[in-house]
PDB file of all heavy atoms in Angstrom:
ATOM      1  N   ARG A 341     -14.679   0.372  14.043  1.00  0.00           N
ATOM      2  CA  ARG A 341     -16.007  -0.133  14.044  1.00  0.00           C
ATOM      3  C   ARG A 341     -17.098   0.972  13.995  1.00  0.00           C
ATOM      4  O   ARG A 341     -18.003   0.899  13.218  1.00  0.00           O
ATOM      5  CB  ARG A 341     -16.141  -0.910  15.340  1.00  0.00           C
ATOM      6  CG  ARG A 341     -17.328  -1.788  15.411  1.00  0.00           C
ATOM      7  CD  ARG A 341     -17.238  -2.308  16.841  1.00  0.00           C
ATOM      8  NE  ARG A 341     -17.711  -3.646  16.838  1.00  0.00           N
ATOM      9  CZ  ARG A 341     -18.215  -4.294  17.889  1.00  0.00           C
ATOM     10  NH1 ARG A 341     -18.216  -3.610  19.073  1.00  0.00           N
ATOM     11  NH2 ARG A 341     -18.625  -5.488  17.869  1.00  0.00           N
ATOM     12  N   GLU A 342     -16.966   1.987  14.843  1.00  0.00           N
ATOM     13  CA  GLU A 342     -18.015   2.984  14.970  1.00  0.00           C
ATOM     14  C   GLU A 342     -18.203   3.753  13.722  1.00  0.00           C
ATOM     15  O   GLU A 342     -19.319   3.998  13.254  1.00  0.00           O
ATOM     16  CB  GLU A 342     -17.783   3.894  16.199  1.00  0.00           C
ATOM     17  CG  GLU A 342     -17.847   3.109  17.609  1.00  0.00           C
ATOM     18  CD  GLU A 342     -19.122   2.233  17.738  1.00  0.00           C
ATOM     19  OE1 GLU A 342     -20.221   2.680  17.300  1.00  0.00           O
ATOM     20  OE2 GLU A 342     -18.968   1.088  18.149  1.00  0.00           O
ATOM     21  N   ALA A 343     -17.124   4.214  13.172  1.00  0.00           N
ATOM     22  CA  ALA A 343     -17.217   4.973  11.904  1.00  0.00           C
ATOM     23  C   ALA A 343     -17.864   4.247  10.810  1.00  0.00           C
ATOM     24  O   ALA A 343     -18.637   4.731  10.029  1.00  0.00           O
ATOM     25  CB  ALA A 343     -15.801   5.488  11.471  1.00  0.00           C
ATOM     26  N   VAL A 344     -17.629   2.935  10.742  1.00  0.00           N
ATOM     27  CA  VAL A 344     -18.232   2.119   9.696  1.00  0.00           C
ATOM     28  C   VAL A 344     -19.706   1.883  10.012  1.00  0.00           C
ATOM     29  O   VAL A 344     -20.606   1.976   9.147  1.00  0.00           O
ATOM     30  CB  VAL A 344     -17.504   0.790   9.523  1.00  0.00           C
ATOM     31  CG1 VAL A 344     -18.213  -0.143   8.481  1.00  0.00           C
ATOM     32  CG2 VAL A 344     -16.052   1.001   9.012  1.00  0.00           C
ATOM     33  N   LEU A 345     -19.989   1.633  11.259  1.00  0.00           N
ATOM     34  CA  LEU A 345     -21.402   1.437  11.651  1.00  0.00           C
ATOM     35  C   LEU A 345     -22.275   2.676  11.401  1.00  0.00           C
ATOM     36  O   LEU A 345     -23.462   2.518  11.141  1.00  0.00           O
ATOM     37  CB  LEU A 345     -21.523   1.063  13.172  1.00  0.00           C
ATOM     38  CG  LEU A 345     -21.324  -0.374  13.590  1.00  0.00           C
ATOM     39  CD1 LEU A 345     -21.371  -0.540  15.037  1.00  0.00           C
ATOM     40  CD2 LEU A 345     -22.339  -1.311  12.923  1.00  0.00           C
ATOM     41  N   GLU A 346     -21.704   3.822  11.425  1.00  0.00           N
ATOM     42  CA  GLU A 346     -22.494   5.043  11.093  1.00  0.00           C
ATOM     43  C   GLU A 346     -22.993   4.983   9.681  1.00  0.00           C
ATOM     44  O   GLU A 346     -23.987   5.663   9.367  1.00  0.00           O
ATOM     45  CB  GLU A 346     -21.596   6.248  11.331  1.00  0.00           C
ATOM     46  CG  GLU A 346     -21.557   6.698  12.780  1.00  0.00           C
ATOM     47  CD  GLU A 346     -20.528   7.824  12.935  1.00  0.00           C
ATOM     48  OE1 GLU A 346     -20.170   8.523  11.964  1.00  0.00           O
ATOM     49  OE2 GLU A 346     -20.062   8.006  14.084  1.00  0.00           O
ATOM     50  N   ARG A 347     -22.289   4.273   8.818  1.00  0.00           N
ATOM     51  CA  ARG A 347     -22.590   4.348   7.344  1.00  0.00           C
ATOM     52  C   ARG A 347     -23.227   3.114   6.869  1.00  0.00           C
ATOM     53  O   ARG A 347     -23.887   3.147   5.754  1.00  0.00           O
ATOM     54  CB  ARG A 347     -21.305   4.469   6.526  1.00  0.00           C
ATOM     55  CG  ARG A 347     -20.418   5.706   6.987  1.00  0.00           C
ATOM     56  CD  ARG A 347     -21.035   7.003   6.526  1.00  0.00           C
ATOM     57  NE  ARG A 347     -20.143   8.117   6.723  1.00  0.00           N
ATOM     58  CZ  ARG A 347     -19.438   8.762   5.713  1.00  0.00           C
ATOM     59  NH1 ARG A 347     -19.593   8.355   4.477  1.00  0.00           N
ATOM     60  NH2 ARG A 347     -18.690   9.774   6.054  1.00  0.00           N
ATOM     61  N   VAL A 348     -23.107   1.997   7.527  1.00  0.00           N
ATOM     62  CA  VAL A 348     -23.663   0.746   7.055  1.00  0.00           C
ATOM     63  C   VAL A 348     -24.029  -0.135   8.207  1.00  0.00           C
ATOM     64  O   VAL A 348     -23.180  -0.284   9.090  1.00  0.00           O
ATOM     65  CB  VAL A 348     -22.790  -0.004   5.950  1.00  0.00           C
ATOM     66  CG1 VAL A 348     -21.400  -0.119   6.404  1.00  0.00           C
ATOM     67  CG2 VAL A 348     -23.360  -1.376   5.603  1.00  0.00           C
ATOM     68  N   GLY A 349     -25.240  -0.650   8.281  1.00  0.00           N
ATOM     69  CA  GLY A 349     -25.784  -1.415   9.364  1.00  0.00           C
ATOM     70  C   GLY A 349     -25.318  -2.846   9.465  1.00  0.00           C
ATOM     71  O   GLY A 349     -24.545  -3.283   8.583  1.00  0.00           O
ATOM     72  N   VAL A 350     -25.870  -3.582  10.396  1.00  0.00           N
ATOM     73  CA  VAL A 350     -25.518  -4.994  10.533  1.00  0.00           C
ATOM     74  C   VAL A 350     -26.772  -5.859  10.761  1.00  0.00           C
ATOM     75  O   VAL A 350     -26.772  -6.928  11.375  1.00  0.00           O
ATOM     76  CB  VAL A 350     -24.490  -5.248  11.683  1.00  0.00           C
ATOM     77  CG1 VAL A 350     -23.188  -4.704  11.388  1.00  0.00           C
ATOM     78  CG2 VAL A 350     -25.013  -4.617  12.984  1.00  0.00           C
ATOM     79  N   GLU A 351     -27.884  -5.361  10.159  1.00  0.00           N
ATOM     80  CA  GLU A 351     -29.135  -6.132  10.298  1.00  0.00           C
ATOM     81  C   GLU A 351     -29.391  -6.916   8.977  1.00  0.00           C
ATOM     82  O   GLU A 351     -29.300  -6.356   7.882  1.00  0.00           O
ATOM     83  CB  GLU A 351     -30.291  -5.187  10.574  1.00  0.00           C
ATOM     84  CG  GLU A 351     -30.320  -4.542  11.868  1.00  0.00           C
ATOM     85  CD  GLU A 351     -30.363  -5.507  13.084  1.00  0.00           C
ATOM     86  OE1 GLU A 351     -30.799  -6.622  12.857  1.00  0.00           O
ATOM     87  OE2 GLU A 351     -29.871  -5.103  14.160  1.00  0.00           O
ATOM     88  N   PRO A 352     -29.786  -8.136   9.186  1.00  0.00           N
ATOM     89  CA  PRO A 352     -30.175  -8.938   7.971  1.00  0.00           C
ATOM     90  C   PRO A 352     -31.380  -8.224   7.291  1.00  0.00           C
ATOM     91  O   PRO A 352     -32.282  -7.774   7.954  1.00  0.00           O
ATOM     92  CB  PRO A 352     -30.615 -10.346   8.580  1.00  0.00           C
ATOM     93  CG  PRO A 352     -30.584 -10.210  10.038  1.00  0.00           C
ATOM     94  CD  PRO A 352     -29.879  -8.998  10.410  1.00  0.00           C
ATOM     95  N   SER A 353     -31.266  -8.154   6.007  1.00  0.00           N
ATOM     96  CA  SER A 353     -32.372  -7.411   5.266  1.00  0.00           C
ATOM     97  C   SER A 353     -33.472  -8.332   4.929  1.00  0.00           C
ATOM     98  O   SER A 353     -34.613  -7.823   4.630  1.00  0.00           O
ATOM     99  CB  SER A 353     -31.743  -6.758   4.071  1.00  0.00           C
ATOM    100  OG  SER A 353     -31.381  -7.829   3.116  1.00  0.00           O
ATOM    101  N   GLY A 354     -33.233  -9.636   4.807  1.00  0.00           N
ATOM    102  CA  GLY A 354     -34.317 -10.583   4.342  1.00  0.00           C
ATOM    103  C   GLY A 354     -34.684 -10.218   2.870  1.00  0.00           C
ATOM    104  O   GLY A 354     -35.781 -10.610   2.492  1.00  0.00           O
ATOM    105  N   GLU A 355     -33.811  -9.604   2.228  1.00  0.00           N
ATOM    106  CA  GLU A 355     -34.073  -9.148   0.818  1.00  0.00           C
ATOM    107  C   GLU A 355     -33.049  -9.698  -0.188  1.00  0.00           C
ATOM    108  O   GLU A 355     -31.905 -10.008   0.286  1.00  0.00           O
ATOM    109  CB  GLU A 355     -34.157  -7.647   0.729  1.00  0.00           C
ATOM    110  CG  GLU A 355     -35.344  -7.064   1.507  1.00  0.00           C
ATOM    111  CD  GLU A 355     -35.472  -5.543   1.299  1.00  0.00           C
ATOM    112  OE1 GLU A 355     -34.599  -4.824   1.708  1.00  0.00           O
ATOM    113  OE2 GLU A 355     -36.481  -5.212   0.644  1.00  0.00           O
ATOM    114  N   PRO A 356     -33.333  -9.687  -1.511  1.00  0.00           N
ATOM    115  CA  PRO A 356     -32.347 -10.119  -2.421  1.00  0.00           C
ATOM    116  C   PRO A 356     -31.099  -9.193  -2.437  1.00  0.00           C
ATOM    117  O   PRO A 356     -31.076  -8.113  -1.921  1.00  0.00           O
ATOM    118  CB  PRO A 356     -33.144 -10.015  -3.697  1.00  0.00           C
ATOM    119  CG  PRO A 356     -34.505 -10.027  -3.379  1.00  0.00           C
ATOM    120  CD  PRO A 356     -34.613  -9.410  -2.035  1.00  0.00           C
ATOM    121  N   PHE A 357     -30.039  -9.723  -3.077  1.00  0.00           N
ATOM    122  CA  PHE A 357     -28.754  -9.023  -2.985  1.00  0.00           C
ATOM    123  C   PHE A 357     -28.770  -7.638  -3.607  1.00  0.00           C
ATOM    124  O   PHE A 357     -28.028  -6.738  -3.169  1.00  0.00           O
ATOM    125  CB  PHE A 357     -27.620  -9.827  -3.697  1.00  0.00           C
ATOM    126  CG  PHE A 357     -27.720 -10.037  -5.162  1.00  0.00           C
ATOM    127  CD1 PHE A 357     -27.168  -9.111  -6.023  1.00  0.00           C
ATOM    128  CD2 PHE A 357     -28.396 -11.097  -5.721  1.00  0.00           C
ATOM    129  CE1 PHE A 357     -27.295  -9.223  -7.375  1.00  0.00           C
ATOM    130  CE2 PHE A 357     -28.568 -11.205  -7.049  1.00  0.00           C
ATOM    131  CZ  PHE A 357     -28.027 -10.314  -7.886  1.00  0.00           C
ATOM    132  N   ASN A 358     -29.623  -7.389  -4.608  1.00  0.00           N
ATOM    133  CA  ASN A 358     -29.603  -6.095  -5.272  1.00  0.00           C
ATOM    134  C   ASN A 358     -30.781  -5.221  -4.756  1.00  0.00           C
ATOM    135  O   ASN A 358     -31.109  -4.251  -5.488  1.00  0.00           O
ATOM    136  CB  ASN A 358     -29.608  -6.242  -6.797  1.00  0.00           C
ATOM    137  CG  ASN A 358     -30.799  -7.097  -7.226  1.00  0.00           C
ATOM    138  OD1 ASN A 358     -31.733  -7.443  -6.488  1.00  0.00           O
ATOM    139  ND2 ASN A 358     -30.898  -7.317  -8.559  1.00  0.00           N
ATOM    140  N   ALA A 359     -31.329  -5.532  -3.632  1.00  0.00           N
ATOM    141  CA  ALA A 359     -32.518  -4.769  -3.169  1.00  0.00           C
ATOM    142  C   ALA A 359     -32.138  -3.358  -2.781  1.00  0.00           C
ATOM    143  O   ALA A 359     -30.988  -3.013  -2.448  1.00  0.00           O
ATOM    144  CB  ALA A 359     -33.091  -5.467  -1.937  1.00  0.00           C
ATOM    145  N   ILE A 360     -33.198  -2.476  -2.815  1.00  0.00           N
ATOM    146  CA  ILE A 360     -32.975  -1.095  -2.432  1.00  0.00           C
ATOM    147  C   ILE A 360     -33.198  -1.054  -0.893  1.00  0.00           C
ATOM    148  O   ILE A 360     -34.307  -0.839  -0.431  1.00  0.00           O
ATOM    149  CB  ILE A 360     -34.045  -0.160  -3.179  1.00  0.00           C
ATOM    150  CG1 ILE A 360     -33.811  -0.315  -4.675  1.00  0.00           C
ATOM    151  CG2 ILE A 360     -33.845   1.298  -2.726  1.00  0.00           C
ATOM    152  CD1 ILE A 360     -34.881   0.342  -5.486  1.00  0.00           C
ATOM    153  N   SER A 361     -32.228  -1.430  -0.160  1.00  0.00           N
ATOM    154  CA  SER A 361     -32.301  -1.748   1.243  1.00  0.00           C
ATOM    155  C   SER A 361     -31.677  -0.764   2.132  1.00  0.00           C
ATOM    156  O   SER A 361     -30.433  -0.878   2.318  1.00  0.00           O
ATOM    157  CB  SER A 361     -31.715  -3.176   1.377  1.00  0.00           C
ATOM    158  OG  SER A 361     -31.941  -3.625   2.683  1.00  0.00           O
ATOM    159  N   PHE A 362     -32.384   0.208   2.583  1.00  0.00           N
ATOM    160  CA  PHE A 362     -31.840   1.262   3.505  1.00  0.00           C
ATOM    161  C   PHE A 362     -32.740   1.358   4.728  1.00  0.00           C
ATOM    162  O   PHE A 362     -33.990   1.184   4.593  1.00  0.00           O
ATOM    163  CB  PHE A 362     -31.829   2.602   2.717  1.00  0.00           C
ATOM    164  CG  PHE A 362     -30.877   2.599   1.566  1.00  0.00           C
ATOM    165  CD1 PHE A 362     -31.357   2.218   0.262  1.00  0.00           C
ATOM    166  CD2 PHE A 362     -29.520   2.956   1.634  1.00  0.00           C
ATOM    167  CE1 PHE A 362     -30.561   2.204  -0.853  1.00  0.00           C
ATOM    168  CE2 PHE A 362     -28.723   2.956   0.519  1.00  0.00           C
ATOM    169  CZ  PHE A 362     -29.223   2.569  -0.699  1.00  0.00           C
ATOM    170  N   ASP A 363     -32.192   1.706   5.854  1.00  0.00           N
ATOM    171  CA  ASP A 363     -32.980   1.860   7.114  1.00  0.00           C
ATOM    172  C   ASP A 363     -33.545   3.272   7.184  1.00  0.00           C
ATOM    173  O   ASP A 363     -33.379   4.078   6.262  1.00  0.00           O
ATOM    174  CB  ASP A 363     -32.258   1.405   8.313  1.00  0.00           C
ATOM    175  CG  ASP A 363     -30.952   2.321   8.613  1.00  0.00           C
ATOM    176  OD1 ASP A 363     -30.938   3.395   8.017  1.00  0.00           O
ATOM    177  OD2 ASP A 363     -30.162   1.910   9.453  1.00  0.00           O
ATOM    178  N   GLN A 364     -34.178   3.622   8.338  1.00  0.00           N
ATOM    179  CA  GLN A 364     -34.867   4.889   8.481  1.00  0.00           C
ATOM    180  C   GLN A 364     -33.898   6.091   8.276  1.00  0.00           C
ATOM    181  O   GLN A 364     -34.298   7.141   7.847  1.00  0.00           O
ATOM    182  CB  GLN A 364     -35.514   5.006   9.931  1.00  0.00           C
ATOM    183  CG  GLN A 364     -36.441   3.928  10.246  1.00  0.00           C
ATOM    184  CD  GLN A 364     -35.692   2.808  10.937  1.00  0.00           C
ATOM    185  OE1 GLN A 364     -34.592   2.312  10.457  1.00  0.00           O
ATOM    186  NE2 GLN A 364     -36.245   2.259  12.030  1.00  0.00           N
ATOM    187  N   ILE A 365     -32.576   5.851   8.646  1.00  0.00           N
ATOM    188  CA  ILE A 365     -31.682   7.037   8.460  1.00  0.00           C
ATOM    189  C   ILE A 365     -30.919   6.914   7.142  1.00  0.00           C
ATOM    190  O   ILE A 365     -29.927   7.669   6.959  1.00  0.00           O
ATOM    191  CB  ILE A 365     -30.703   7.140   9.682  1.00  0.00           C
ATOM    192  CG1 ILE A 365     -29.853   5.867   9.824  1.00  0.00           C
ATOM    193  CG2 ILE A 365     -31.430   7.465  10.913  1.00  0.00           C
ATOM    194  CD1 ILE A 365     -28.657   6.103  10.720  1.00  0.00           C
ATOM    195  N   GLY A 366     -31.418   6.093   6.267  1.00  0.00           N
ATOM    196  CA  GLY A 366     -30.855   6.020   4.942  1.00  0.00           C
ATOM    197  C   GLY A 366     -29.514   5.191   4.860  1.00  0.00           C
ATOM    198  O   GLY A 366     -28.711   5.311   3.947  1.00  0.00           O
ATOM    199  N   ARG A 367     -29.304   4.398   5.880  1.00  0.00           N
ATOM    200  CA  ARG A 367     -28.212   3.511   5.947  1.00  0.00           C
ATOM    201  C   ARG A 367     -28.485   2.201   5.288  1.00  0.00           C
ATOM    202  O   ARG A 367     -29.510   1.633   5.646  1.00  0.00           O
ATOM    203  CB  ARG A 367     -27.826   3.292   7.438  1.00  0.00           C
ATOM    204  CG  ARG A 367     -26.418   3.460   7.805  1.00  0.00           C
ATOM    205  CD  ARG A 367     -26.254   3.347   9.330  1.00  0.00           C
ATOM    206  NE  ARG A 367     -27.307   2.566   9.991  1.00  0.00           N
ATOM    207  CZ  ARG A 367     -27.194   1.918  11.101  1.00  0.00           C
ATOM    208  NH1 ARG A 367     -26.013   1.921  11.689  1.00  0.00           N
ATOM    209  NH2 ARG A 367     -28.137   1.227  11.672  1.00  0.00           N
ATOM    210  N   PRO A 368     -27.603   1.673   4.443  1.00  0.00           N
ATOM    211  CA  PRO A 368     -27.854   0.315   3.951  1.00  0.00           C
ATOM    212  C   PRO A 368     -27.897  -0.737   5.100  1.00  0.00           C
ATOM    213  O   PRO A 368     -27.231  -0.519   6.094  1.00  0.00           O
ATOM    214  CB  PRO A 368     -26.640  -0.005   3.059  1.00  0.00           C
ATOM    215  CG  PRO A 368     -26.049   1.331   2.703  1.00  0.00           C
ATOM    216  CD  PRO A 368     -26.354   2.165   3.893  1.00  0.00           C
ATOM    217  N   ALA A 369     -28.849  -1.687   4.975  1.00  0.00           N
ATOM    218  CA  ALA A 369     -29.082  -2.578   6.099  1.00  0.00           C
ATOM    219  C   ALA A 369     -27.849  -3.354   6.510  1.00  0.00           C
ATOM    220  O   ALA A 369     -27.603  -3.458   7.740  1.00  0.00           O
ATOM    221  CB  ALA A 369     -30.161  -3.587   5.698  1.00  0.00           C
ATOM    222  N   ASN A 370     -27.070  -3.870   5.568  1.00  0.00           N
ATOM    223  CA  ASN A 370     -25.852  -4.600   5.934  1.00  0.00           C
ATOM    224  C   ASN A 370     -24.901  -4.619   4.806  1.00  0.00           C
ATOM    225  O   ASN A 370     -25.267  -4.239   3.655  1.00  0.00           O
ATOM    226  CB  ASN A 370     -26.247  -5.998   6.402  1.00  0.00           C
ATOM    227  CG  ASN A 370     -26.682  -6.868   5.304  1.00  0.00           C
ATOM    228  OD1 ASN A 370     -25.931  -7.256   4.427  1.00  0.00           O
ATOM    229  ND2 ASN A 370     -27.990  -7.212   5.269  1.00  0.00           N
ATOM    230  N   PRO A 371     -23.631  -4.907   5.135  1.00  0.00           N
ATOM    231  CA  PRO A 371     -22.580  -4.805   4.068  1.00  0.00           C
ATOM    232  C   PRO A 371     -22.449  -6.109   3.167  1.00  0.00           C
ATOM    233  O   PRO A 371     -21.578  -6.144   2.323  1.00  0.00           O
ATOM    234  CB  PRO A 371     -21.274  -4.653   4.856  1.00  0.00           C
ATOM    235  CG  PRO A 371     -21.533  -5.338   6.162  1.00  0.00           C
ATOM    236  CD  PRO A 371     -23.071  -5.200   6.389  1.00  0.00           C
ATOM    237  N   MET A 372     -23.410  -7.085   3.335  1.00  0.00           N
ATOM    238  CA  MET A 372     -23.269  -8.298   2.565  1.00  0.00           C
ATOM    239  C   MET A 372     -24.236  -8.239   1.337  1.00  0.00           C
ATOM    240  O   MET A 372     -24.241  -9.153   0.471  1.00  0.00           O
ATOM    241  CB  MET A 372     -23.637  -9.525   3.417  1.00  0.00           C
ATOM    242  CG  MET A 372     -22.692  -9.676   4.628  1.00  0.00           C
ATOM    243  SD  MET A 372     -21.009 -10.090   4.171  1.00  0.00           S
ATOM    244  CE  MET A 372     -20.145  -8.643   4.798  1.00  0.00           C
ATOM    245  N   ILE A 373     -25.061  -7.229   1.213  1.00  0.00           N
ATOM    246  CA  ILE A 373     -25.832  -7.031   0.005  1.00  0.00           C
ATOM    247  C   ILE A 373     -25.219  -5.787  -0.733  1.00  0.00           C
ATOM    248  O   ILE A 373     -24.477  -5.027  -0.158  1.00  0.00           O
ATOM    249  CB  ILE A 373     -27.314  -6.869   0.292  1.00  0.00           C
ATOM    250  CG1 ILE A 373     -27.522  -5.688   1.326  1.00  0.00           C
ATOM    251  CG2 ILE A 373     -27.885  -8.124   0.787  1.00  0.00           C
ATOM    252  CD1 ILE A 373     -28.985  -5.351   1.526  1.00  0.00           C
ATOM    253  N   ASN A 374     -25.656  -5.594  -2.032  1.00  0.00           N
ATOM    254  CA  ASN A 374     -24.979  -4.646  -2.825  1.00  0.00           C
ATOM    255  C   ASN A 374     -24.958  -3.209  -2.202  1.00  0.00           C
ATOM    256  O   ASN A 374     -23.915  -2.519  -2.214  1.00  0.00           O
ATOM    257  CB  ASN A 374     -25.578  -4.557  -4.193  1.00  0.00           C
ATOM    258  CG  ASN A 374     -25.307  -5.874  -4.976  1.00  0.00           C
ATOM    259  OD1 ASN A 374     -24.889  -6.815  -4.449  1.00  0.00           O
ATOM    260  ND2 ASN A 374     -25.647  -5.769  -6.313  1.00  0.00           N
TER     261      ASN A 374
END
Side-chain angles (χ1 to χ4, degrees):
R341 194 189 217 200
E342 293 313 315
V344 175
L345 275 177
E346 279 172 19
R347 308 283 189 109
V348 49
V350 290
E351 289 302 334
S353 66
E355 292 186 295
F357 68 89
N358 57 3
I360 303 169
S361 185
F362 297 89
D363 66 14
Q364 306 88 316
I365 59 166
R367 224 174 29 152
N370 72 67
M372 300 294 116
I373 54 173
N374 291 12

